[in-house]
Amino acid sequence: AQTVTQSQPEMSVQEAETVTLSCTYDTSESDYYLFWYKQPPSRQMILVIRQEAYKQQNATENRFSVNFQKAAKSFSLKISDSQLGDAAMYFCAYRSAMTKLTFGTGTRLQVTL
Amino acid sequence: ETGVTQTPRHLVMGMTNKKSLKCEQHLGHNAMYWYKQSAKKPLELMFVYSLEERVENNSVPSRFSPECPNSSHLFLHLHTLQPEDSALYLCASSWTSGSGAETQYFGPGTRLLVL
């Protein structure tokens, strides 16, 4: 079965600095999708960014970008110019045509002044 | 919160009670999901409905009973729950693509406490 591992339970970053959240996954499939979801303290989970495995180019959404290393099965999230509103739980997730959306255990990001 | 709404937001119930959680999506999607979120555990998929048909039931105990009367509404009926069922229950919706490419949109959740 596919598994998603987030090895950093908590991270902290100063406002305006850059932070990278790590995620690794295990799969034997070649075609799949990877997602980063953000869950602020209000609890509504929202999509931050997604990556198609067949695309070599790393996805970018404003201050959020990923480093997708398919061979290493790694999918890290970089947040640039961190803002107080970025404080949240961040979940990495995997999905394919054959498997349900599978989440990691999450990383709690704190943003300090 | 106009995409996916959930009610109630908080629920306290005894083990002998019967209650229902409600989810409504305003996005025109054709698939809906129930997840259980417990502390320090990955989200657990409970049920999936696609085109109002249940397509997945991940070994969920029968004390949880889902209902999907139409593509916009999803219920989770609860009866004789156990304290370990206390958790945040999240509803989500999406289009069904068949490829896994679809993005799921989540509601704010119902925080359930079973006493």
Side-chain angles (χ1 to χ4, degrees):
Chain A
Q2 281 71 19
T3 57
V4 178
T5 302
Q6 293 180 250
S7 58
Q8 305 154 315
E10 292 189 12
M11 292 283 285
S12 183
V13 63
Q14 279 192 317
E15 201 176 15
E17 297 296 308
T18 296
V19 64
T20 298
L21 309 183
S22 64
C23 172
T24 59
Y25 56 94
D26 184 27
T27 184
S28 58
E29 298 174 306
S30 59
D31 194 16
Y32 50 86
Y33 301 84
L34 296 164
F35 306 83
W36 277 99
Y37 279 90
K38 169 186 177 181
Q39 188 179 38
S42 65
R43 301 201 302 267
Q44 188 132 21
M45 189 113 59
I46 57 173
L47 179 70
V48 175
I49 198 166
R50 54 176 273 167
Q51 174 82 41
E52 293 85 349
Y54 63 83
K55 289 187 178 178
Q56 292 187 337
Q57 187 171 6
N58 289 323
T60 299
E61 288 287 342
N62 300 315
R63 298 182 295 107
F64 298 87
S65 61
V66 299
N67 183 4
F68 174 48
Q69 302 289 326
K70 191 172 185 179
K73 297 177 184 175
S74 171
F75 182 60
S76 61
L77 174 69
K78 185 171 83 172
I79 306 174
S80 304
D81 186 26
S82 297
Q83 301 175 359
L84 294 177
D86 296 332
M89 283 289 288
Y90 286 82
F91 293 94
C92 178
Y94 170 104
R95 177 84 160 96
S96 74
M98 302 301 293
T99 62
K100 62 189 179 187
L101 189 62
T102 303
F103 287 85
T105 51
T107 296
R108 182 174 302 280
L109 178 66
Q110 291 184 319
V111 181
T112 59
L113 294 172
Chain B
E1 297 175 347
T2 58
V4 181
T5 58
Q6 290 185 244
T7 54
R9 295 292 299 271
H10 300 270
L11 179 62
V12 180
M13 59 187 290
M15 290 191 284
T16 59
N17 291 157
K18 290 185 180 180
K19 296 287 184 183
S20 295
L21 309 185
K22 179 183 176 182
C23 175
E24 185 173 358
Q25 60 96 2
H26 310 270
L27 301 169
H29 291 156
N30 59 8
M32 297 187 77
Y33 312 77
W34 278 117
Y35 287 89
K36 177 183 179 182
Q37 185 177 23
S38 305
K40 300 187 179 175
K41 292 176 68 175
L43 269 73
E44 301 171 54
L45 180 65
M46 300 175 72
F47 301 104
V48 181
Y49 277 82
S50 178
L51 300 171
E52 300 159 41
E53 296 284 327
R54 191 192 309 180
V55 297
E56 192 155 347
N57 175 349
N58 284 307
S59 303
V60 180
S62 60
R63 57 186 184 268
F64 294 92
S65 175
E67 179 190 1
C68 187
N70 55 61
S71 60
S72 298
H73 293 86
L74 184 65
F75 294 89
L76 188 62
H77 303 300
L78 316 171
H79 62 98
T80 59
L81 294 192
Q82 304 299 309
E84 60 264 30
D85 297 322
S86 299
L88 182 66
Y89 289 84
L90 294 172
C91 173
S93 71
S94 75
W95 286 107
T96 301
S97 71
S99 68
E102 70 279 359
T103 295
Q104 292 185 19
Y105 293 81
F106 287 81
T110 295
R111 173 69 64 188
L112 174 66
L113 178 61
V114 181
L115 300 175

